[in-house]
Amino acid sequence: MTRRRFDTESPWVINASRLILLVVLFALWEIGGGWLFDTFYFSKPSLIAKAFAHDIVDPAFYTDLATTGLELVLGYVIGGVSGIALGILLARWRFVGKICDPFLLALNSVPRIAVAPMLIVWFGIGIASKVFLAGTLVFFITFFNTLSGIRGVDKALCDVARVQGASEWQIFTKVMMPHASAWILTGLKMSLPFALVGVIIGEFLVSSQGLGYRLNFYSTQYNTAGAISMILASQWIPNLLPY
């Protein structure tokens, strides 16, 4: 009688192992709170759950959640669409692209947190400053991915299509875009967490609404459990969007 082999590649085994590891880590965190480390600095799961339970019965929490979600969606869409459009444009117009490349690289190297205070001057404390900050983070990721995807198309494929009588528009839609689609989708997927970071940073710096504002409020009150609960809550927002 042969033993049944333990399949370590099975999704059920992997997911169960992840769940067990998560439970063990949370159990160690809970037990160690107040014994191995000070809960003032790290809190513990039971206190975080209690703080989150207090927030979810507060109507203002859902207003903050909706504000952050709206800023995230607007920044993500505006940054993604503009990045893809400009990436396609400069990839097709190689001469203009070569002129603009160093300037775009220089702009991308500017730390966003450094210009965040100026956004308040330019756009005020409303949602526009957070949308712009999130949009710039998304823009450069999608732009460079789109640019690389189209520029990386094998010229031989384009030449073969021309020999077959394809127009430039057909080459672009039937050869270039299918090749670049994987790059574009990767850029969109990578940029979503960065959009959330931009929104939270903007709200953290100056805002009267949003999860970043609530996180800043808890931090200034030395409410570690509340601050961690807002960090965890903010991670759920991307899961509500197509990703």
Side-chain angles (χ1 to χ4, degrees), residues 132-198:
F132 182 84
L133 183 59
T136 56
L137 293 171
V138 176
F139 168 81
F140 284 105
I141 296 175
T142 54
F143 166 74
F144 285 113
N145 271 49
T146 303
L147 190 68
S148 299
I150 295 180
R151 285 182 176 177
V153 175
D154 190 350
K155 292 182 179 180
L157 294 176
C158 298
D159 292 338
V160 170
R162 289 190 182 95
V163 171
Q164 296 295 326
S167 64
E168 289 299 319
W169 174 251
Q170 289 174 325
I171 293 173
F172 173 71
T173 56
K174 303 297 184 181
V175 179
M176 292 184 175
M177 286 306 295
H179 179 273
S181 60
W183 289 75
I184 295 172
L185 292 175
T186 300
L188 290 171
K189 185 175 181 179
M190 291 172 55
S191 62
L192 183 55
F194 285 91
L196 179 61
V197 169

Side-chain angles (χ1 to χ4, degrees), residues 2-74:
T2 59
R3 291 185 177 181
R4 185 175 181 180
R5 187 177 177 182
F6 184 70
D7 187 7
T8 57
E9 299 297 326
S10 171
W12 290 97
V13 174
I14 294 174
N15 290 331
S17 301
R18 289 173 177 171
L19 181 59
I20 292 172
L21 177 60
L22 183 65
V23 171
V24 170
L25 291 176
F26 273 97
L28 291 175
W29 186 6
E30 179 69 28
I31 296 171
W35 177 43
L36 296 177
F37 50 83
D38 193 343
T39 56
F40 177 80
Y41 298 103
F42 301 101
S43 189
K44 58 182 183 179
S46 59
L47 296 178
I48 296 171
K50 182 178 179 181
F52 185 69
H54 178 269
D55 278 325
I56 61 176
V57 297
D58 180 10
F61 170 76
Y62 296 97
T63 302
D64 293 333
L65 184 64
T67 300
T68 300
L70 176 62
E71 293 166 348
L72 173 63
V73 171
L74 290 176

Side-chain angles (χ1 to χ4, degrees), residues 86-87 90-91 93-109 140 143-144 147-148 151:
L86 187 61
L90 296 188
W93 293 355
R94 291 184 177 270
F95 175 72
V96 178
K98 290 179 179 179
I99 295 174
C100 297
D101 276 351
F103 298 101
L104 290 168
L105 287 171
L107 286 175
N108 188 39
S109 65
F140 284 105
F143 166 74
F144 285 113
L147 190 68
S148 299
R151 285 182 176 177

